[in-house]
Amino acid sequence: MTTQLPAPLAPVHVGLIVERLKAEGRLDRLFIDGEWVLPAGQSRASVIDPSTEEPVVDIALGNAQDVDVAVAAARGAFATWSVSSAESRALLLGRIHTLILERAELFAQAISLEMGAALGFARSTQVPVAAEHIRVARDNLAGYPFLTHREGVAILREAIGVCGLITPWNWPLYQITAKVGPALAAGCTVVLKPSELSPLSALLFAEVVQDAGIPPGVFNLVSGNGPEVGAALSAHPDVDMISITGSTRAGVLVAQAAAATVKRVAQELGGKSPNVILPDADLARAVPAGVAAAFRNVGQSCSAPTRMIVPRERLQEVERIALEAALNFAVGDPRSPQTTHGPVANRAQFNRVQEMIAAGIAEGARLICGGPGRPEGLERGFYCRPTIFSSVHSQMQVAQEEIFGPVLVIIAYDNVDEAVEIANDTVYGLGAHVQGQDLAVARAVAARIRSGQVHINYPAWSPHAPFGGYKRSGNGREYGIEGLEEYLETKAILGFQDASMPSTTVKSSRNAQEQS
């Protein structure tokens, strides 16, 4: 592993983002009912650059009173937006998609500044995949059967209503678009609460939505923390649905707050995803790709495959290849073009990673590389050493708990049945991987793993693949058609004898896309 020593902050990095948002007054305001408005209170939060541990700017935070105003705006807009044509909603989403791509560099700089992603990774992955969620939401409107008929019954799919969307700090734009895109496509109005730890890309997204011409009240943004703004949204009687991406603990709190009003709650929560390396796998391909997947986004992904489950007779070979893969990472200043992995996103996460590495050592796990502390030459910033443990068993804390950092554990098995048992031996079930040359065997193993997604032999990411969890990884699904349907109610109309009811399905996706 190499390290990139921090250089002075590039002026474009801070100036391009902060000065733009300051000049427009965005840092002091919330976006409610089509306007940038001052919050009701005086609370503010500092945005910390993870690479320096220094504050770069403050943002205004909303409170429960601001939530009331935003929800009222969304409720007022719902009556019109929910019955707008699917064509018009597709056109709006097309404009949002275009503007995200036009401002891709601005978004990449903001994401790197607010949560520490290597700028190259923000450019190549964080922003493009976020834009894909908007494109797919637009395209899924084409031909979607909002009205169908069954044995004389009309089945109507309608927008659920006002949706509160709570998004995390680790994939800040990606998680916003994964919720906002399908919610708007379905005809819902929304109140977004982005993480107060990575709010800059959310403010830029609100600018995009405004510039795309969204009607007042359809999209609202209230910055704030979970205990105040998140709780107020979750408990609000005029919010029909809450969608949260976050920790399992946060998801439980949201569900508890929402229970009194019996609103729909969709939760995309924690994970401890397995990567089963079958006995016939090509280790030279399977292991380096598995290490890279576990450490993508510095391990700060809920579906990261952080448990590599390998044949015992091939354990030493796996350890050697995994070490070689980790040594190729360049940890350092996220602005450096050589950097592959920047810091973790905040101090709390840095402390969590350090505590879990110490726990693994105390439990007797064997370090293959990494360990506690910062990489050599990096004395400030929330940098963690890419760490791989072996001699791990399923009862260890590092094999059971989500660490959310660059830590991979290797667990050995004696037969495939045991490998499947280990894969399922956590409270989570979000993602999983299986590697093997015999596809029939790989598919059979994939079918036995209890998780919302399973990837065989590292396929390309697809925004059409529904994403969500089993067990304590949550409920509901995002992405693709299933992500759209999450925001729809089902109405049955009996005694409806003909097909004359107009459908809100887009009739010509090509025409809508050309106009956008």
Side-chain angles (χ1 to χ4, degrees):
M1 180 195 70
T2 60
T3 60
Q4 298 294 324
L5 298 181
L9 286 177
V12 68
H13 185 74
V14 174
L16 183 68
I17 308 304
V18 174
E19 294 308 318
R20 175 192 173 107
L21 292 172
K22 278 184 177 179
E24 299 293 335
R26 308 308 191 216
L27 298 171
D28 302 319
R29 288 172 167 79
L30 316 174
F31 187 72
I32 298 176
D33 205 15
E35 302 287 343
W36 291 92
V37 300
L38 294 172
Q42 301 297 317
S43 297
R44 301 186 72 84
S46 293
V47 178
I48 306 298
D49 182 342
S51 69
T52 65
E53 306 179 42
E54 297 294 331
V56 292
V57 73
D58 287 348
I59 65 160
L61 297 182
N63 59 24
Q65 184 177 341
D66 297 302
V67 170
D68 287 341
V69 175
V71 171
R75 177 59 62 195
F78 179 71
T80 302
W81 180 251
S82 62
V83 296
S84 63
S85 70
E87 288 93 342
S88 65
R89 299 199 299 273
L91 287 171
L92 176 73
L93 289 167
R95 291 193 294 270
I96 292 173
H97 178 252
T98 297
L99 288 171
I100 290 174
L101 296 181
E102 288 179 357
R103 302 176 190 180
E105 179 62 16
L106 200 64
F107 278 112
Q109 294 272 355
I111 291 167
S112 182
L113 174 61
E114 66 190 355
M115 56 77 61
L119 189 53
F121 180 75
R123 288 169 173 157
S124 67
T125 305
Q126 287 262 8
V127 177
V129 297
E132 279 294 275
H133 287 310
I134 300 295
R135 180 190 65 80
V136 168
R138 178 198 67 189
D139 292 353
N140 281 340
L141 280 172
Y144 183 80
F146 288 93
L147 174 66
T148 58
H149 297 269
R150 181 192 310 155
E151 299 295 329
V153 178
I155 310 297
L156 190 63
R157 304 302 303 274
E158 297 180 324
I160 192 169
V162 175
C163 299
L165 311 178
I166 301 174
T167 57
W169 46 259
N170 58 320
W171 288 84
L173 181 63
Y174 176 89
Q175 294 292 352
I176 288 171
T177 58
K179 297 182 190 298
V180 173
L184 296 183
C188 295
T189 56
V190 305
V191 179
L192 169 68
K193 190 210 88 65
S195 172
E196 71 278 18
L197 300 177
S198 56
L200 303 181
S201 54
L203 295 174
L204 293 173
F205 179 76
E207 282 190 342
V208 160
V209 173
Q210 182 184 35
D211 291 347
I214 200 162
V218 174
F219 171 88
N220 306 272
L221 181 149
V222 179
S223 300
N225 60 34
E228 186 155 13
V229 172
L233 265 180
S234 302
H236 204 290
D238 284 334
V239 171
D240 300 289
M241 174 181 172
I242 288 286
S243 177
I244 176 175
T245 297
S247 68
T248 299
R249 176 181 175 275
V252 169
L253 292 173
V254 164
Q256 289 172 337
T261 52
V262 200
K263 58 172 58 70
R264 184 182 298 180
V265 179
Q267 303 164 309
E268 194 266 280
L269 307 177
K272 192 71 177 178
S273 298
N275 187 0
V276 177
I277 311 292
L278 292 173
D280 70 337
D282 177 0
L283 295 188
R285 178 181 184 275
V287 175
V291 174
F295 291 164
R296 187 176 69 141
N297 205 36
V298 200
Q300 298 168 122
S301 297
C302 47
S303 61
T306 53
R307 294 183 298 141
M308 186 174 286
I309 302 169
V310 308
R312 193 176 304 278
E313 67 271 15
R314 307 189 74 181
L315 179 60
Q316 289 187 343
E317 188 179 359
V318 169
E319 292 174 348
R320 176 184 59 79
I321 298 172
L323 172 60
E324 292 173 354
L327 292 176
N328 287 324
F329 297 151
V331 179
D333 181 357
R335 271 78 78 189
S336 169
Q338 286 76 42
T339 293
T340 60
H341 294 71
V344 295
N346 52 68
R347 184 177 300 280
Q349 201 55 39
F350 176 81
N351 291 340
R352 166 71 175 172
V353 172
Q354 299 305 314
E355 290 167 3
M356 290 302 294
I357 291 174
I361 294 171
E363 288 179 310
R366 180 164 50 88
L367 273 174
I368 301 300
C369 64
R374 295 176 176 84
E376 184 179 353
L378 296 172
E379 298 180 357
R380 66 170 185 165
F382 303 130
Y383 296 98
C384 297
R385 300 172 68 190
T387 297
I388 300 176
F389 284 113
S390 191
S391 301
V392 174
H393 58 75
S394 284
Q395 287 69 47
M396 289 183 176
Q397 191 177 1
V398 290
Q400 287 293 322
E401 296 188 19
E402 183 176 46
I403 299 172
F404 227 61
V407 181
L408 170 68
V409 302
I410 300 175
I411 305 173
Y413 67 85
D414 292 309
N415 56 65
V416 172
D417 287 341
E418 184 187 8
V420 172
E421 182 180 347
I422 293 169
N424 289 330
D425 189 19
T426 74
V427 299
Y428 298 111
L430 188 58
H433 289 249
V434 178
Q435 319 305 325
Q437 297 189 71
D438 187 328
L439 286 181
V441 174
R443 290 167 183 154
V445 170
R448 296 171 64 189
I449 295 176
R450 299 278 295 169
S451 67
Q453 276 194 354
V454 185
H455 302 247
I456 297 176
N457 293 333
Y458 307 114
W461 173 78
S462 172
H464 295 282
F467 181 70
Y470 286 26
K471 301 186 282 187
R472 296 187 194 176
S473 288
N475 56 71
R477 291 295 180 268
E478 296 187 310
Y479 314 171
I481 292 293
E482 290 77 9
L484 172 67
E485 292 178 334
E486 201 70 32
Y487 295 91
L488 296 173
E489 286 282 22
T490 301
K491 175 185 289 182
I493 305 178
L494 286 73
F496 192 82
Q497 299 302 319
D498 59 46
S500 62
M501 181 178 287
S503 170
T504 54
T505 300
V506 173
K507 297 178 178 61
S508 173
S509 60
R510 177 177 298 177
N511 182 57
Q513 292 173 28
E514 287 175 352
Q515 292 182 60
S516 68

